[in-house]
Structures are given as C-alpha cells and as structure tokens.
Amino acid sequence: GESVGLHLPTLSVQEGDNSIINCAYSNSASDYFIWYKQESGKGPQFIIDIRSNMDKRQGQRVTVLLNKTVKHLSLQIAATQPGDSAVYFCAESGGSYIPTFGRGTSLIVHP
Amino acid sequence: GAVVSQHPSRVICKSGTSVKIECRSLDFQATTMFWYRQFPKKSLMLMATSNEGSKATYEQGVEKDKFLINHASLTLSTLTVTSAHPEDSSFYICSARRTGNNYGYTFGSGTRLTVV
C-alpha cells in the first residue's frame, strides 16, 4: 500500500501487478509534465511526458493521466517488474520552461 | 542521442577547498542548463539556471558567491562549490535543455559531493 509521512511515500507491489503513482502539481499555469525514474545514486531518467492539451498518453507499459481540473497527474505502470523499483518523480514546467520537481514516490516491487 | 555527461560522479574534499563539477552535452547544443541539489530521500531542488554567455540565474536562498556557475560554451556548464563545508555535502545534478527545444531536458548522472 501507499504511505505518506516524513519519509518518501512508498508504494509496494507484487511483480506482475499494475502500479499507479500519483502526483499533485501546484502551478495551474504549467503546461508540460514529465515523469522521471531515479535509481539510487543516479540522475533522473525520462519515462514519459504529456502536454496540457492532452489528458492521457501511453508509452511502452506506461500511461500518464492528466487531470487539470484538480491538478493531478498519475503514472500507471503495467505488469510491474523488479527492475521498475526506483523513486519516481513528476515534474511540471510552464512559461519559463524550467522543470520543477514534485515530492517523489518510492516504488518497491517484490518478486 | 541527447546524452549529458556529468563529471566527477563522486568527489571527497576537505573543508575550505573548492570543487568543480562539469556538465557536458555530448551530442547536442544546450543554450540553457540547470543545476539541482538533492538531499537523501528528497526531491530535486533547482539551484540555478545557467545560460550560455551570460550570468546564471539563481533561485532564492542560493548563494551565488558560493556556487559559481560558468556556461562558457553551448556544450559545457560548470558548477564550482567554493570554500566547501560539510553542509554542502549533497548530490548535485545537472540538466541540459536542447537549443531550440523548450521541452527537451536531459539529465546528467549526478555528482556525490562529500566534504570532510
């Protein structure tokens, strides 16, 4: 399940399950959103992006949903694998084209 | 394509010394690069925006005299942590935005700085 507190929120899933990671963004003027995966000791790796004129975008095993009304973004990972274990960040950018990162969620996939 | 090389990946330095971190876009030109700082189990915090040929723009609370940024070419930005102290120990990450593409950001692999 998901836990939120002083530490990074954590989502634990079993291998093969679908994962849903949520993100609330703050700036209603943001028009571009990106999901990144960060493994320990490495830089963020691009997963998928979406612009504000869309509400859904699909990639390979990943889907991003955007709800501008409530300023909510989600990342769905299908058939989660142990290699998906990492910290996932959403980022938003607006007119300044500077990505601002959200809090992050730690995904733990159990074999 | 779109590879960003960050060097060094790890560095240990003594208090009071300065450390330079390099961020290079290997196969594209980047008019703008960004420097982030990340504490353990925390998100990336933007420190400054580096623009080729001009002064960097620093975020509120970031000391520009302590974190010197130079972006002398379209493929290289450097961050120098001057007179480093243990509290400067952190993970520093750069990102490069492809010239002409406001939505194309690529991140480096990060630099773990430890000040002893």
Side-chain angles (χ1 to χ4, degrees), chain A residues 52-68:
Chain A
S52 59
N53 59 352
M54 303 173 68
D55 52 22
K56 180 179 180 179
R57 189 156 187 241
Q58 288 185 293
Q60 187 177 13
R61 281 202 307 121
V62 294
T63 301
V64 55
L65 298 178
L66 173 64
N67 185 329
K68 295 181 289 293

PDB file of all heavy atoms in Angstrom, chain A residues 52-68:
ATOM      1  N   SER A  52      -0.420  19.891 -21.749  1.00  0.00           N
ATOM      2  CA  SER A  52      -1.695  20.198 -21.096  1.00  0.00           C
ATOM      3  C   SER A  52      -2.894  20.096 -22.025  1.00  0.00           C
ATOM      4  O   SER A  52      -4.042  20.113 -21.566  1.00  0.00           O
ATOM      5  CB  SER A  52      -1.647  21.598 -20.478  1.00  0.00           C
ATOM      6  OG  SER A  52      -1.392  22.564 -21.458  1.00  0.00           O
ATOM      7  N   ASN A  53      -2.648  19.976 -23.323  1.00  0.00           N
ATOM      8  CA  ASN A  53      -3.782  19.845 -24.245  1.00  0.00           C
ATOM      9  C   ASN A  53      -4.229  18.383 -24.394  1.00  0.00           C
ATOM     10  O   ASN A  53      -5.086  18.065 -25.212  1.00  0.00           O
ATOM     11  CB  ASN A  53      -3.444  20.422 -25.619  1.00  0.00           C
ATOM     12  CG  ASN A  53      -2.252  19.739 -26.270  1.00  0.00           C
ATOM     13  OD1 ASN A  53      -1.584  18.938 -25.650  1.00  0.00           O
ATOM     14  ND2 ASN A  53      -1.992  20.078 -27.516  1.00  0.00           N
ATOM     15  N   MET A  54      -3.622  17.505 -23.600  1.00  0.00           N
ATOM     16  CA  MET A  54      -3.982  16.093 -23.601  1.00  0.00           C
ATOM     17  C   MET A  54      -4.346  15.681 -22.184  1.00  0.00           C
ATOM     18  O   MET A  54      -3.927  16.313 -21.215  1.00  0.00           O
ATOM     19  CB  MET A  54      -2.819  15.241 -24.096  1.00  0.00           C
ATOM     20  CG  MET A  54      -2.310  15.610 -25.477  1.00  0.00           C
ATOM     21  SD  MET A  54      -0.817  14.709 -25.901  1.00  0.00           S
ATOM     22  CE  MET A  54      -1.462  13.046 -26.050  1.00  0.00           C
ATOM     23  N   ASP A  55      -5.112  14.581 -22.063  1.00  0.00           N
ATOM     24  CA  ASP A  55      -5.378  14.065 -20.721  1.00  0.00           C
ATOM     25  C   ASP A  55      -4.861  12.644 -20.532  1.00  0.00           C
ATOM     26  O   ASP A  55      -4.898  12.101 -19.427  1.00  0.00           O
ATOM     27  CB  ASP A  55      -6.876  14.132 -20.391  1.00  0.00           C
ATOM     28  CG  ASP A  55      -7.731  13.476 -21.459  1.00  0.00           C
ATOM     29  OD1 ASP A  55      -7.204  12.636 -22.215  1.00  0.00           O
ATOM     30  OD2 ASP A  55      -8.930  13.801 -21.530  1.00  0.00           O
ATOM     31  N   LYS A  56      -4.343  12.073 -21.605  1.00  0.00           N
ATOM     32  CA  LYS A  56      -3.802  10.719 -21.493  1.00  0.00           C
ATOM     33  C   LYS A  56      -2.746  10.517 -22.563  1.00  0.00           C
ATOM     34  O   LYS A  56      -2.895  10.977 -23.695  1.00  0.00           O
ATOM     35  CB  LYS A  56      -4.929   9.692 -21.658  1.00  0.00           C
ATOM     36  CG  LYS A  56      -4.497   8.245 -21.563  1.00  0.00           C
ATOM     37  CD  LYS A  56      -5.700   7.318 -21.719  1.00  0.00           C
ATOM     38  CE  LYS A  56      -5.296   5.857 -21.625  1.00  0.00           C
ATOM     39  NZ  LYS A  56      -6.478   4.954 -21.758  1.00  0.00           N
ATOM     40  N   ARG A  57      -1.709   9.803 -22.190  1.00  0.00           N
ATOM     41  CA  ARG A  57      -0.684   9.457 -23.158  1.00  0.00           C
ATOM     42  C   ARG A  57      -0.101   8.107 -22.762  1.00  0.00           C
ATOM     43  O   ARG A  57       0.149   7.859 -21.576  1.00  0.00           O
ATOM     44  CB  ARG A  57       0.409  10.519 -23.186  1.00  0.00           C
ATOM     45  CG  ARG A  57       1.398  10.347 -24.325  1.00  0.00           C
ATOM     46  CD  ARG A  57       2.070  11.649 -24.689  1.00  0.00           C
ATOM     47  NE  ARG A  57       2.868  11.455 -25.897  1.00  0.00           N
ATOM     48  CZ  ARG A  57       4.180  11.617 -25.953  1.00  0.00           C
ATOM     49  NH1 ARG A  57       4.841  11.956 -24.868  1.00  0.00           N
ATOM     50  NH2 ARG A  57       4.822  11.422 -27.084  1.00  0.00           N
ATOM     51  N   GLN A  58       0.109   7.280 -23.764  1.00  0.00           N
ATOM     52  CA  GLN A  58       0.605   5.937 -23.472  1.00  0.00           C
ATOM     53  C   GLN A  58       1.972   5.705 -24.076  1.00  0.00           C
ATOM     54  O   GLN A  58       2.280   6.172 -25.168  1.00  0.00           O
ATOM     55  CB  GLN A  58      -0.382   4.894 -24.025  1.00  0.00           C
ATOM     56  CG  GLN A  58      -1.671   4.823 -23.220  1.00  0.00           C
ATOM     57  CD  GLN A  58      -2.593   3.714 -23.704  1.00  0.00           C
ATOM     58  OE1 GLN A  58      -3.108   3.789 -24.810  1.00  0.00           O
ATOM     59  NE2 GLN A  58      -2.803   2.712 -22.885  1.00  0.00           N
ATOM     60  N   GLY A  59       2.776   4.955 -23.322  1.00  0.00           N
ATOM     61  CA  GLY A  59       4.060   4.528 -23.840  1.00  0.00           C
ATOM     62  C   GLY A  59       4.141   3.019 -23.705  1.00  0.00           C
ATOM     63  O   GLY A  59       3.115   2.340 -23.575  1.00  0.00           O
ATOM     64  N   GLN A  60       5.341   2.520 -23.689  1.00  0.00           N
ATOM     65  CA  GLN A  60       5.504   1.084 -23.522  1.00  0.00           C
ATOM     66  C   GLN A  60       5.340   0.733 -22.049  1.00  0.00           C
ATOM     67  O   GLN A  60       6.143   1.120 -21.219  1.00  0.00           O
ATOM     68  CB  GLN A  60       6.890   0.663 -24.010  1.00  0.00           C
ATOM     69  CG  GLN A  60       7.097  -0.831 -24.025  1.00  0.00           C
ATOM     70  CD  GLN A  60       8.461  -1.217 -24.574  1.00  0.00           C
ATOM     71  OE1 GLN A  60       9.339  -0.384 -24.725  1.00  0.00           O
ATOM     72  NE2 GLN A  60       8.631  -2.478 -24.872  1.00  0.00           N
ATOM     73  N   ARG A  61       4.315   0.062 -21.699  1.00  0.00           N
ATOM     74  CA  ARG A  61       3.966  -0.353 -20.335  1.00  0.00           C
ATOM     75  C   ARG A  61       3.631   0.810 -19.401  1.00  0.00           C
ATOM     76  O   ARG A  61       3.340   0.607 -18.223  1.00  0.00           O
ATOM     77  CB  ARG A  61       5.088  -1.184 -19.653  1.00  0.00           C
ATOM     78  CG  ARG A  61       5.174  -2.622 -20.055  1.00  0.00           C
ATOM     79  CD  ARG A  61       5.883  -3.478 -19.019  1.00  0.00           C
ATOM     80  NE  ARG A  61       7.191  -2.978 -18.644  1.00  0.00           N
ATOM     81  CZ  ARG A  61       7.531  -2.643 -17.384  1.00  0.00           C
ATOM     82  NH1 ARG A  61       6.656  -2.737 -16.395  1.00  0.00           N
ATOM     83  NH2 ARG A  61       8.763  -2.212 -17.118  1.00  0.00           N
ATOM     84  N   VAL A  62       3.691   2.017 -19.864  1.00  0.00           N
ATOM     85  CA  VAL A  62       3.379   3.162 -19.009  1.00  0.00           C
ATOM     86  C   VAL A  62       2.303   4.028 -19.640  1.00  0.00           C
ATOM     87  O   VAL A  62       2.221   4.147 -20.864  1.00  0.00           O
ATOM     88  CB  VAL A  62       4.624   4.024 -18.707  1.00  0.00           C
ATOM     89  CG1 VAL A  62       5.630   3.245 -17.877  1.00  0.00           C
ATOM     90  CG2 VAL A  62       5.260   4.536 -19.983  1.00  0.00           C
ATOM     91  N   THR A  63       1.493   4.607 -18.759  1.00  0.00           N
ATOM     92  CA  THR A  63       0.447   5.529 -19.172  1.00  0.00           C
ATOM     93  C   THR A  63       0.451   6.703 -18.215  1.00  0.00           C
ATOM     94  O   THR A  63       0.556   6.518 -16.989  1.00  0.00           O
ATOM     95  CB  THR A  63      -0.941   4.860 -19.128  1.00  0.00           C
ATOM     96  OG1 THR A  63      -0.948   3.723 -19.998  1.00  0.00           O
ATOM     97  CG2 THR A  63      -2.029   5.834 -19.561  1.00  0.00           C
ATOM     98  N   VAL A  64       0.372   7.903 -18.744  1.00  0.00           N
ATOM     99  CA  VAL A  64       0.265   9.086 -17.902  1.00  0.00           C
ATOM    100  C   VAL A  64      -1.121   9.675 -18.094  1.00  0.00           C
ATOM    101  O   VAL A  64      -1.614   9.789 -19.212  1.00  0.00           O
ATOM    102  CB  VAL A  64       1.373  10.118 -18.201  1.00  0.00           C
ATOM    103  CG1 VAL A  64       1.410  10.507 -19.668  1.00  0.00           C
ATOM    104  CG2 VAL A  64       1.209  11.352 -17.334  1.00  0.00           C
ATOM    105  N   LEU A  65      -1.753  10.008 -16.978  1.00  0.00           N
ATOM    106  CA  LEU A  65      -3.066  10.648 -16.991  1.00  0.00           C
ATOM    107  C   LEU A  65      -2.938  12.031 -16.369  1.00  0.00           C
ATOM    108  O   LEU A  65      -2.281  12.193 -15.336  1.00  0.00           O
ATOM    109  CB  LEU A  65      -4.076   9.811 -16.205  1.00  0.00           C
ATOM    110  CG  LEU A  65      -4.349   8.399 -16.719  1.00  0.00           C
ATOM    111  CD1 LEU A  65      -5.344   7.689 -15.791  1.00  0.00           C
ATOM    112  CD2 LEU A  65      -4.891   8.423 -18.135  1.00  0.00           C
ATOM    113  N   LEU A  66      -3.569  12.988 -16.989  1.00  0.00           N
ATOM    114  CA  LEU A  66      -3.522  14.362 -16.501  1.00  0.00           C
ATOM    115  C   LEU A  66      -4.935  14.866 -16.250  1.00  0.00           C
ATOM    116  O   LEU A  66      -5.777  14.819 -17.142  1.00  0.00           O
ATOM    117  CB  LEU A  66      -2.819  15.261 -17.521  1.00  0.00           C
ATOM    118  CG  LEU A  66      -2.813  16.762 -17.254  1.00  0.00           C
ATOM    119  CD1 LEU A  66      -2.045  17.075 -15.977  1.00  0.00           C
ATOM    120  CD2 LEU A  66      -2.221  17.516 -18.437  1.00  0.00           C
ATOM    121  N   ASN A  67      -5.170  15.340 -15.041  1.00  0.00           N
ATOM    122  CA  ASN A  67      -6.454  15.947 -14.693  1.00  0.00           C
ATOM    123  C   ASN A  67      -6.187  17.393 -14.287  1.00  0.00           C
ATOM    124  O   ASN A  67      -5.771  17.676 -13.157  1.00  0.00           O
ATOM    125  CB  ASN A  67      -7.125  15.179 -13.550  1.00  0.00           C
ATOM    126  CG  ASN A  67      -8.522  15.700 -13.240  1.00  0.00           C
ATOM    127  OD1 ASN A  67      -8.810  16.891 -13.413  1.00  0.00           O
ATOM    128  ND2 ASN A  67      -9.390  14.823 -12.785  1.00  0.00           N
ATOM    129  N   LYS A  68      -6.407  18.287 -15.226  1.00  0.00           N
ATOM    130  CA  LYS A  68      -6.073  19.689 -14.969  1.00  0.00           C
ATOM    131  C   LYS A  68      -7.045  20.337 -13.985  1.00  0.00           C
ATOM    132  O   LYS A  68      -6.695  21.300 -13.318  1.00  0.00           O
ATOM    133  CB  LYS A  68      -6.044  20.467 -16.290  1.00  0.00           C
ATOM    134  CG  LYS A  68      -4.942  19.999 -17.237  1.00  0.00           C
ATOM    135  CD  LYS A  68      -4.912  20.802 -18.519  1.00  0.00           C
ATOM    136  CE  LYS A  68      -6.094  20.501 -19.405  1.00  0.00           C
ATOM    137  NZ  LYS A  68      -6.059  19.112 -19.931  1.00  0.00           N
TER     138      LYS A  68
END
